Amino acid sequence: MSTRATSSTHHLLLLLLSLSLLAQHSLSKEANCNKDDRRALLKIKKELNTHWITSYDCCDWGGVFCDSPTHPHRVTAFVHQYVNSPSRIPDAIGDLPYLTEIFFHKLTNFSGTIPYSITKLKYLKYLDISWVNLTGNIPDFLGQLKSLTYLRLSFNKLTGPIPSSLSQIPNLSFIDLSRNKLTGTIPASLANLKGNHSFQLYLSHNQLSGHVPDSFAKINFFEIDLSRNMLQGGLSILFGHNKTTETMYFSRNMFEFDMSELQLPKSLAQFDISHNKIYGRIPEAMTDLELQAFNVSYNRLCGKIPQGGNLQTGFDYSSFFHNRCLCGAPLNVTCK
Ligand SMILES: *[C@@H]1O[C@H](CO)[C@@H](O)[C@H](O)[C@H]1NC(C)=O
Ligand SMILES: *[C@@H]1O[C@H](CO)[C@@H](O)[C@H](O)[C@H]1NC(C)=O
Ligand SMILES: *[C@@H]1O[C@H](CO)[C@@H](O)[C@H](O)[C@H]1NC(C)=O
Ligand SMILES: *[C@@H]1O[C@H](CO)[C@@H](O)[C@H](O)[C@H]1NC(C)=O
Ligand SMILES: *[C@@H]1O[C@H](CO)[C@@H](O)[C@H](O)[C@H]1NC(C)=O
Ligand SMILES: *[C@@H]1O[C@H](CO)[C@@H](O)[C@H](O)[C@H]1NC(C)=O
Ligand SMILES: *[C@@H]1O[C@H](CO)[C@@H](O)[C@H](O)[C@H]1NC(C)=O
């Protein structure tokens, strides 16, 4: 044999060897994906028209993750980001029993409701179905998702009330239902959630009415946004010296209370109560805060704007204008 022939045989052998390694590799990977999960995913593929290559291991399909150390080869996260033809959340999502995270975000051509099958997901911690034009009510059955900690259904077309069943989810501590068409009152039972120490609640841009429930006094919010609703009454129960709230957004409602009496948490950094019917004075303690956002415009406030902190240096007249009789910098009105 010439050296040349030897060399090409050698190459061929190498090639065959790597091909067989590749084949073995994909075979073993094929075996990686749980058969039941694969079956459910194939139904999902049909519904969502995903471009998964079925000869690959389903744990390698785009948006499918199998990364639980305790349940190897099971699908634990599903992230859906592309929609070509009109679609909705497939029922088969409930047949991936080890899912901990579901993410449907910013999908055009998407609509429909949240399927009941989702209640089968005992381990689901993180549910994000946002910017997808979901319709219908927020279903009561979400209360059955006992492992849930994070719920985001913002930027949809959801109607009807906020179900009080959400309070049956023990560790839920992040709720974002903003930018929908929700009506009715805020359920008092939300205060029973265990996450009441660092609760994040976003309900802005809805049509919610009534008062903020008294039970909310015991919640120590991290962030709360109730802007752009039709809420009324007072807010003093949300305040308190020993709370550690950082963000409070209440603008564009019909809140009506005496601002002078608010006990400001030292942690408060973002504060917007613009466009309400709030009266009284701005508390002196406002100057002790490290405010990053501040707006009390379009209310019925009076008296001298406290001088100090970053009230004058951080904000211009537009944070204070359109009140009954506020005076002092940064407004162009001298106090008499
Ligand atoms: C939405 O679906 C329709 C009908 O299948 C299709 O013609 C259109 O291109 C899709 N739009 C987008 C943005 O994918
Ligand atoms: C939701 O529907 C409206 C029409 O009602 C459409 O303009 C908008 O693009 C849709 N949004 C998404 C994310 O598909
Ligand atoms: C809630 O959180 C605690 C502490 O992390 C955990 O021990 C418990 O199992 C969780 N409960 C549920 C229903 O997931
Ligand atoms: C938070 O909620 C739990 C459960 O309802 C309750 O036991 C606890 O006292 C609450 N924490 C505060 C600070 O109110
Ligand atoms: C604030 O702290 C005091 C003393 O620790 C406590 O007695 C009181 O219940 C707390 N108030 C609130 C609203 O948590
Ligand atoms: C305060 O809110 C008013 C009313 O929405 C707005 O016009 C103004 O620009 C805001 N100012 C700041 C500093 O955000
Ligand atoms: C403040 O008052 C002065 C004097 O009256 C006036 O020239 C100026 O335009 C006012 N500035 C604003 C922002 O209103």
Side-chain angles (χ1 to χ4, degrees):
M1 236 186 237
S2 72
T3 37
R4 197 190 167 110
T6 317
S7 161
S8 56
T9 315
H10 188 67
H11 270 126
L12 187 66
L13 275 175
L14 264 182
L15 185 69
L16 283 175
L17 186 67
S18 45
L19 273 178
S20 87
L21 273 178
L22 249 176
Q24 256 180 31
H25 187 58
S26 23
L27 269 182
S28 69
K29 285 195 101 189
E30 193 82 44
N32 246 339
C33 180
N34 177 276
K35 278 201 189 66
D36 296 333
D37 286 359
R38 190 170 191 277
R39 200 172 309 127
L41 285 168
L42 285 174
K43 285 189 204 155
I44 291 172
K45 174 175 163 53
K46 215 174 199 177
E47 185 94 25
L48 296 180
N49 247 313
T50 56
H51 298 302
W52 293 331
I53 300 170
T54 49
S55 59
Y56 289 5
D57 175 23
C58 78
C59 289
D60 289 339
W61 293 353
V64 176
F65 299 87
C66 308
D67 48 13
S68 160
T70 46
H71 300 104
H73 319 310
R74 303 305 306 240
V75 176
T76 52
F78 184 80
V79 178
H80 190 56
Q81 280 168 304
Y82 308 101
V83 174
N84 314 302
S85 50
S87 52
R88 49 199 296 126
I89 298 172
D91 279 337
I93 198 88
D95 298 329
L96 295 168
Y98 291 94
L99 271 183
T100 58
E101 296 179 25
I102 294 179
F103 194 84
F104 284 86
H105 179 64
K106 275 205 178 169
L107 305 170
T108 50
N109 256 345
F110 208 85
S111 63
T113 55
I114 302 173
Y116 182 73
S117 64
I118 210 170
T119 57
K120 290 189 274 183
L121 302 175
K122 285 203 298 279
Y123 302 107
L124 192 66
K125 287 182 96 155
Y126 185 104
L127 179 61
D128 184 338
I129 311 177
S130 53
W131 300 77
V132 300
N133 279 347
L134 274 188
T135 54
N137 287 9
I138 298 177
D140 271 334
F141 60 67
L142 287 188
Q144 295 175 35
L145 296 170
K146 298 298 182 208
S147 297
L148 211 60
T149 60
Y150 182 107
L151 175 65
R152 186 170 183 220
L153 302 173
S154 54
F155 288 89
N156 285 304
K157 291 176 175 167
L158 295 164
T159 50
I162 300 171
S164 58
S165 64
L166 293 183
S167 66
Q168 293 157 16
I169 307 174
N171 290 344
L172 188 59
S173 60
F174 181 106
I175 300 179
D176 183 358
L177 308 177
S178 54
R179 307 249 179 187
N180 280 289
K181 297 170 177 175
L182 301 174
T183 50
T185 57
I186 301 173
S189 58
L190 288 184
N192 299 330
L193 290 168
K194 247 199 224 142
N196 52 15
H197 295 288
S198 59
F199 200 12
Q200 285 163 270
L201 181 65
Y202 308 95
L203 301 176
S204 74
H205 293 81
N206 279 292
Q207 293 150 30
L208 299 169
S209 56
H211 292 234
V212 172
D214 287 343
S215 60
F216 275 32
K218 70 173 177 183
I219 308 182
N220 185 8
F221 285 102
F222 173 57
E223 300 197 328
I224 178 168
D225 185 355
L226 305 178
S227 321
R228 294 192 189 240
N229 279 287
M230 302 180 302
L231 297 162
Q232 320 174 20
L235 287 169
S236 60
I237 51 161
L238 296 180
F239 291 75
H241 294 310
N242 38 5
K243 296 209 169 168
T244 52
T245 311
E246 288 188 8
T247 303
M248 291 180 152
Y249 290 147
F250 304 123
S251 71
R252 293 181 195 259
N253 279 284
M254 296 180 289
F255 290 121
E256 190 167 7
F257 59 89
D258 186 348
M259 187 178 182
S260 338
E261 290 169 0
L262 293 184
Q263 297 187 352
L264 303 171
K266 286 272 183 292
S267 50
L268 192 57
Q270 344 257 3
F271 186 70
D272 189 344
I273 57 169
S274 61
H275 284 276
N276 281 288
K277 300 174 183 172
I278 298 162
Y279 53 90
R281 296 166 161 269
I282 299 174
E284 277 299 322
M286 237 1 141
T287 60
D288 299 335
L289 306 180
E290 287 174 36
L291 293 166
Q292 291 152 19
F294 180 82
N295 203 329
V296 299
S297 67
Y298 291 89
N299 276 294
R300 296 174 182 173
L301 296 167
C302 266
K304 186 172 183 196
I305 296 171
Q307 303 292 300
N310 54 5
L311 281 186
Q312 282 69 38
T313 52
F315 311 99
D316 66 6
Y317 68 99
S318 76
S319 288
F320 299 89
F321 67 177
H322 291 278
N323 271 288
R324 187 163 283 165
C325 47
L326 277 182
C327 63
L331 284 182
N332 208 357
V333 182
T334 41
C335 298
K336 295 197 180 95

